[in-house]
Amino acid sequence: MDGSKRTVAAVILDILAERGVKQAFGIPGVHNLGFWNALSKSRPEIVSVRHEQSCVYAADGLARATGKLSVAITTTGPGAANTLGAFGEAAISGSQLLLISSETPMKNRVESGARGILHEMNDQSSLFAPLAKRVKINDKELVLSKSTTSALEAISTVVDFVEMLGQAPTGAGYIGVPADILNQEFDQPIPAPSKGCSDFLTSERNRTIDFEAIKKSLAGISKIGIWAGGGAQGAGEQIAKLSEHLNAPIFTSFAGRGVASSSRNYFDLPIHEKECEEVLGQCEALLVFGSQLDGMNTKNWSINFPKTILLFDADPTIALRNITAQLVVKTSDLAATATKLLDLPSCQKWIDIESVSEQGRKRIAESDKGSAGMKLVDVIEKSWPKRNYVVCDMAISGYWTGVYLRARGERSIAYPVGWGTLGFGLPASVGPAAAGIPTLTVCGDGGIAFGLGELATVAQEQLPLTILLHDDGGYGMLRFDQLVMNHPERGVNLFNPDWKKLADSFGIEFTETDLDNLSKVLKMRANSNAPGIVLIKDEIYPPKSTSPRWNEQ
């Protein structure tokens, strides 16, 4: 890229455009107007949302749908601080996301600390450091959260961070740029990645795999299982082939839903259901690809793992806090690793996963506690096209959809049980919808209230978004938690608006229906490019994937 005269904000947008970023999400503020002043047809569009938290949620939703870098832009102090909950969800879920914020102008600062400049705070990047991605460069740890103080430092940091955020395991980063630096003209050549960044990228590419050690660990073992996590997104085709070769059942984490779903060995049930856990217990070895094996996916580590575990991950340290592995392979290319494992001896088929999955789904659908939830899932499966996207919130309807919906392939559904942030659904769906991807968001009346202002964004941008709103009169999951724990029912029943009047006030199409008639409505909505709200009020019991039901007999 040449050094023609542009502002620093313009240069940053050009770097992002070269990386394929077409939409960013943000809110203009007095300190970050440099980005809006630099907008042009060749640079990313900035979709204006109504709350700073929403701009990061929207970027997160787009990153999950595409697997590519997504960007949020906010303003100094409270603007940046407002994003922290959404930044944590993106970071812990491994979304490739860059948050860029203005910071207080350099010209008004003093060395002794804060002096009362509008929106000022000391060390703004320290808000994000505990959650931001960390990389090792020559045995030193670099946290991808930085407040810059010059034009060259700001641009160099953007160049480095977009490279490092995209390396497995992907994650979120923060860059702060002083307001007056954003507006400075910059006519120098765009710097290449720094030596530290180049060293990091080189070390990631040059890892080798000890195939003989893998072969030795699996000697004499014929019942092998595969566990695919969110880090395995992008390696599904190769893992599916490996599963067929080894006749290995495929278990997935929440973030790994859809990975290798083309295989007949893919489990269309979560580990929390007895059919799935029983098969895992029969495995003699487990190959884990790109998963942290966290508490929510393992019932707080109470499931019975096979004695032999082989862990394949770009950063195995987190998973090793949770399980003991007989062999650890640090690799950032899980697709190539799975392909190499095809050199292992093949295994005989020992179980029919398709049949076990169907039996389990039938059992749940016929049960008193599972019939309504599985009916919701079945309607969405049959009525919402597989090519379209699905975003779930932390809600009973979202728990069913996010975990029990039959896999539609990789990156087909977003489910926020990384950090577990209520209110994710509506703002996160703005991201893929703004990119032109027809999106269904499944949320509850409590969660949607966190971001009702984004209905204005949806209406103004005329996004292809269908909001499937389940109104159970409050925080239904928390109400159930209180019941299970013998607590009084307090604080969970909510006053709700007249949803039709609310939708009408934004000019958004509204339909109220029930589970028996939902299919017809969703089929009509699937072919609409205009936003709409579909309201249901059916009673739905929480699924077994929710913690209050883990210990049910």
Side-chain angles (χ1 to χ4, degrees):
M1 188 184 294
D2 64 34
S4 58
K5 190 174 289 187
R6 292 163 289 171
T7 63
V8 170
V11 172
I12 290 172
L13 291 176
D14 285 339
I15 293 169
L16 297 175
E18 284 200 344
R19 293 293 302 215
V21 176
K22 295 181 179 179
Q23 289 92 16
F25 304 89
I27 293 180
V30 66
H31 284 156
N32 70 355
L33 290 177
F35 285 112
W36 275 260
N37 293 338
L39 290 177
S40 71
K41 290 184 179 180
S42 63
R43 293 170 182 151
E45 171 194 14
I46 304 177
V47 178
S48 292
V49 296
R50 299 308 192 268
H51 191 281
E52 284 92 354
Q53 181 171 255
S54 296
C55 75
V56 175
Y57 274 143
D60 184 5
L62 182 56
R64 296 188 198 215
T66 63
K68 298 177 181 179
L69 177 70
S70 195
V71 177
I73 296 173
T74 189
T75 196
T76 315
N82 275 342
T83 70
L84 195 55
F87 185 87
E89 174 63 44
I92 291 175
S93 296
S95 295
Q96 191 182 161
L97 183 145
L98 179 60
L99 170 61
I100 305 174
S101 178
S102 58
E103 296 193 359
T104 50
M106 292 297 297
K107 66 179 181 179
N108 293 331
R109 298 186 191 184
V110 292
E111 291 185 7
S112 57
R115 61 184 301 197
I117 305 168
L118 178 67
H119 299 329
E120 183 179 32
M121 65 176 295
N122 285 329
D123 194 9
Q124 189 167 301
S125 64
S126 65
L127 284 174
F128 305 94
L131 294 160
K133 179 176 176 175
R134 285 163 157 74
V135 300
K136 282 284 185 69
I137 300 176
N138 300 325
D139 296 324
K140 293 183 179 180
E141 186 175 69
L142 174 66
V143 180
L144 301 190
S145 180
K146 186 176 184 179
S147 294
T148 63
T149 57
S150 71
L152 184 59
E153 184 185 24
I155 292 168
S156 297
T157 302
V158 173
V159 170
D160 282 357
F161 277 24
V162 296
E163 291 288 348
M164 291 188 285
L165 289 172
Q167 297 298 309
T170 54
Y174 167 85
I175 299 173
V177 187
D180 48 355
I181 299 295
L182 277 175
N183 293 302
Q184 280 185 10
E185 289 189 341
F186 187 86
D187 57 4
Q188 302 174 44
I190 306 305
S194 67
K195 184 179 184 304
C197 179
S198 297
D199 289 345
F200 166 73
L201 297 175
T202 300
S203 67
E204 294 299 293
R205 296 188 188 108
N206 290 344
R207 291 177 183 169
T208 57
I209 297 174
D210 186 348
F211 179 72
E212 289 304 315
I214 296 171
K215 191 174 180 179
K216 184 177 179 180
S217 297
L218 296 173
I221 292 176
S222 59
K223 294 181 179 179
I224 300 172
I226 291 173
W227 182 293
Q233 297 280 2
E237 180 182 347
Q238 294 80 6
I239 291 174
K241 290 179 180 178
L242 177 64
S243 168
E244 298 294 326
H245 179 68
L246 298 176
N247 275 292
I250 299 170
F251 312 91
T252 61
S253 70
F254 298 147
R257 295 295 290 168
V259 172
S261 57
S262 62
S263 171
R264 56 189 170 83
N265 296 315
Y266 182 89
F267 241 122
D268 258 323
L269 285 174
I271 196 65
H272 311 78
E273 297 291 350
K274 63 180 183 179
E275 291 83 2
C276 200
E277 191 169 1
E278 286 172 1
V279 172
L280 179 64
Q282 296 174 48
C283 294
E284 300 166 328
L286 186 67
L287 310 182
V288 178
F289 291 92
S291 179
Q292 298 178 4
L293 297 170
D294 61 90
M296 290 300 294
N297 282 289
T298 61
K299 300 196 293 188
N300 281 347
W301 310 284
S302 65
I303 63 175
N304 294 317
F305 284 107
K307 292 182 178 179
T308 299
I309 296 179
L310 279 64
L311 177 61
F312 304 89
D313 202 292
D315 182 9
T317 56
I318 298 177
L320 289 173
R321 300 171 192 169
N322 299 325
I323 50 97
T324 299
Q326 280 57 54
L327 183 67
V328 177
V329 179
K330 189 174 183 180
T331 173
S332 57
D333 192 342
L334 295 180
T337 301
T339 299
K340 179 61 179 174
L341 294 182
L342 291 172
D343 291 338
L344 290 167
S346 61
C347 299
Q348 295 295 315
K349 182 175 180 177
W350 59 277
I351 193 163
D352 185 344
I353 295 300
E354 288 179 307
S355 176
V356 174
S357 288
E358 287 307 311
Q359 290 172 12
R361 295 176 73 87
K362 185 173 185 292
R363 172 187 61 80
I364 298 166
E366 292 176 351
S367 68
D368 290 339
K369 295 178 179 179
S371 58
M374 287 300 281
K375 187 171 187 176
L376 170 67
V377 168
D378 184 62
V379 169
I380 295 173
E381 284 173 358
K382 294 177 179 178
S383 309
W384 192 251
K386 289 185 178 181
R387 66 180 182 275
N388 293 357
Y389 199 60
V390 178
V391 176
C392 300
D393 206 344
M394 298 286 288
I396 292 174
S397 54
Y399 300 143
W400 277 105
T401 305
V403 180
Y404 291 79
L405 192 69
R406 290 183 194 275
R408 300 169 161 231
E410 293 185 340
R411 302 197 178 281
S412 60
I413 191 166
Y415 183 58
V417 187
W419 218 19
T421 48
L422 179 60
F424 171 90
L426 175 56
S429 64
V430 168
I437 303 170
T439 300
L440 173 71
T441 185
V442 182
C443 57
D445 51 311
I448 197 174
F450 280 47
L452 278 177
E454 299 315 323
L455 292 176
T457 304
V458 172
Q460 181 168 335
E461 301 294 331
Q462 280 298 289
L463 300 182
L465 175 63
T466 297
I467 300 166
L468 178 54
L469 173 59
H470 178 219
D471 181 352
D472 58 4
Y475 302 123
M477 190 68 231
L478 292 174
R479 189 186 295 128
F480 181 75
D481 289 341
Q482 290 174 335
L483 175 67
V484 170
M485 295 186 286
N486 294 314
H487 290 180
E489 190 174 292
R490 294 174 179 165
V492 294
N493 299 314
L494 302 176
F495 172 84
N496 283 327
D498 181 316
W499 297 111
K500 184 180 187 309
K501 289 182 178 178
L502 183 70
D504 288 345
S505 71
F506 286 104
I508 294 175
E509 180 182 306
F510 177 85
T511 306
E512 182 171 355
T513 186
D514 56 24
L515 288 177
D516 290 332
N517 297 290
L518 179 60
S519 179
K520 180 180 179 181
V521 177
L522 283 187
K523 286 179 180 178
M524 292 175 61
R525 289 293 318 155
N527 296 315
S528 174
N529 288 321
I533 296 174
V534 178
L535 176 68
I536 59 171
K537 293 185 177 180
D538 301 74
E539 184 176 347
I540 304 176
Y541 202 85
K544 282 291 293 286
S545 57
T546 56
S547 57
R549 295 195 62 196
W550 287 349
N551 297 319
E552 287 183 9
Q553 298 300 316

